Amino acid sequence: MHIDPFALRELVGPAARTCRRALTGESGVCLPPLVDHHVHLHLIDEQALAGGGIAGVLDLGGDPVSLARRPAGLPHVAYAGAFLTAPGGYPSGRVWAPDAIVRTVSDPSPHPGAPGGAATAVDEQVSFGASVVKVALNAAAGPVLDPATLRAVVRAAHGHGRKVVAHVEGEGMTERALDAGVDVLAHTPFTEDLSPAVVARAAASGQRWISTLRIHDPESARRAEANLAAFVTAGGSVLYGTDLGNGDRPVGVQADELAALDRCGVRGESLIDTLCDPWPATAAEGVSTFVPGAPPTTLDDVPAWLGRATVVPSEELIHDDH
Ligand SMILES: [Zn+2]
C-alpha cells in the first residue's frame, strides 16, 4: 500500500504521520494520543478505551475519593471529582449519581470549611486532585445555583488555577454560565436555539464547548448541531467529548460523534485538533494513536477513518519519514 504523506498532511494536518507497526508490519497513520473530554468512568468498561483508540479521558462527574486512588496507567485520567449543584438540584437523586458524586452548595462563602460554602466544595475537589471543577446548571430538572453562588464557585476554582466546566440545560442557563465566567460547557447547548449575540459572546470570551452531539433525541440533536455550527463560524473553540457512560455505546472513539462535528464545520485538521488537545492534563506518555489501513482521501472520509483508531506503544511504530 502506498501512502502519500503530503496528501495526508494536506487533509488532516501535520500531526498525522505515515508509519508501520514493527511487530506486524501493518501500514497506517499515527497521531498523538486521542482524548475524550467528557466521560463517566464509573459507568463504562474503561479497560476497553485504549483498544477503541482513546488514550486519555476527562471524567466530568465521579467520586473524588475513588478517582484520587486510581493507579497511573491507561487511560490517562483527568477529573472534576463530584458535581457541584444547588440543594435538590441535578443530578441529585438520579440512579447513576450516588451521593458520593454530588456536593451541594448553598452559600457563596469564600471561607474554607464553611458548611455548604462555595469554597468548601471547590477546595475538597482540588484536594482530591481535580484538574477542573464541574457545576450542574440544569433548570429543567430542579433548582440551580443562583448567580452570586455560581460566581463564588468560579472565583474559588480560579483561585486554585482550575477551570470551571458547566452542564447547562434549560432556558437562560448558557447566559448564566457566561455571566459567571464559566470557562467550558460540558455539552453543546441543546435545549434552546441560542441567539447570534449569545453565541458570539461565548466565542469572543474564549469559552470552549465540549461537543457531546450524539446523546440526544432528534430535536435536541438538531438544536445542538445548529448551536455548534454557529459557535464554530463565530470562531469558538471546540473539544471532542461524548459523555460516554450516558446510554449504551461501544467504548472508544465514536465515529458518529466525529461525523456530527464534521457536519458542524469542524473538519480535517480542526477535527483532529479537538481529539488531540490534552486539556486539562498533559498528554499520555509513551503511547500513540495508530489508524491501520488506507488513509482518508477526502475530508468526508476522516470521521469513519478515525473510528478505526487504536492505542499502541510509541516505540512499536516505525515512521516512514525521519
Ligand atoms: Zn456527563
Side-chain angles (χ1 to χ4, degrees):
M1 180 178 58
H2 176 71
I3 299 176
D4 176 351
F6 300 103
L8 179 68
R9 271 174 213 190
E10 189 73 14
L11 205 58
V12 293
R17 300 170 71 191
T18 60
C19 63
R20 80 204 133 79
R21 281 181 92 160
L23 290 175
T24 60
E26 206 174 4
S27 298
V29 174
C30 68
L31 291 165
L34 307 186
V35 178
D36 189 331
H37 298 88
H38 188 155
V39 306
H40 298 279
L41 287 169
H42 71 287
L43 299 172
I44 62 175
D45 172 18
E46 63 173 271
Q47 300 305 323
L49 281 165
I54 294 294
V57 294
L58 174 58
D59 186 292
L60 284 181
D63 174 9
V65 180
S66 59
L67 286 161
R69 287 194 186 125
R70 295 179 51 86
L74 282 179
H76 191 62
V77 176
Y79 52 90
F83 287 84
L84 273 45
T85 193
Y90 174 89
S92 327
R94 303 285 168 121
V95 273
W96 56 267
D99 290 349
I101 80 166
V102 180
R103 298 290 184 276
T104 56
V105 181
S106 52
D107 187 313
S109 174
H111 300 299
T120 305
V122 170
D123 291 351
E124 186 208 3
Q125 308 320 307
V126 172
S127 75
F128 282 112
S131 300
V132 298
V133 169
K134 174 80 179 282
V135 177
L137 295 176
N138 184 349
V144 295
L145 297 177
D146 62 77
T149 306
L150 179 59
R151 264 196 301 277
V153 167
V154 172
R155 213 172 293 125
H158 288 178
H160 286 288
R162 301 303 195 276
K163 303 282 192 196
V164 175
V165 182
H167 171 120
V168 302
E169 184 169 352
E171 192 95 7
M173 290 300 106
T174 300
E175 283 170 277
R176 183 171 299 198
L178 276 169
D179 290 344
V182 165
D183 306 283
V184 177
L185 300 188
H187 306 279
T188 301
F190 59 94
T191 49
E192 55 187 340
D193 287 297
L194 297 176
S195 73
V198 170
V199 170
R201 190 179 156 209
S205 74
Q207 190 177 67
R208 306 186 81 183
W209 291 2
I210 299 168
S211 55
T212 75
L213 296 166
R214 298 297 296 165
I215 50 170
H216 303 301
D217 63 79
E219 181 54 19
S220 301
R222 182 205 60 74
R223 273 192 297 263
E225 289 195 23
N227 287 332
L228 193 66
F231 184 62
V232 170
T233 302
S237 171
V238 182
L239 292 161
Y240 167 88
T242 63
D243 202 11
L244 213 52
N246 173 354
D248 194 16
R249 288 171 289 171
V251 171
V253 174
Q254 306 288 307
D256 63 346
E257 181 74 32
L258 292 168
L261 274 159
D262 183 87
R263 284 196 295 278
C264 294
V266 184
R267 317 199 74 195
E269 184 173 353
S270 303
L271 190 60
I272 302 283
D273 290 346
T274 70
L275 267 165
C276 293
D277 189 331
W279 181 88
T282 52
E285 280 176 33
V287 294
S288 297
T289 305
F290 179 69
V291 190
T297 54
T298 71
L299 283 174
D300 291 342
D301 297 339
V302 174
W305 169 71
L306 286 167
R308 301 204 303 267
T310 190
V311 180
V312 299
S314 299
E315 61 189 19
E316 204 191 289
L317 295 174
I318 301 166
H319 298 281
D320 294 344
D321 52 346
H322 295 282

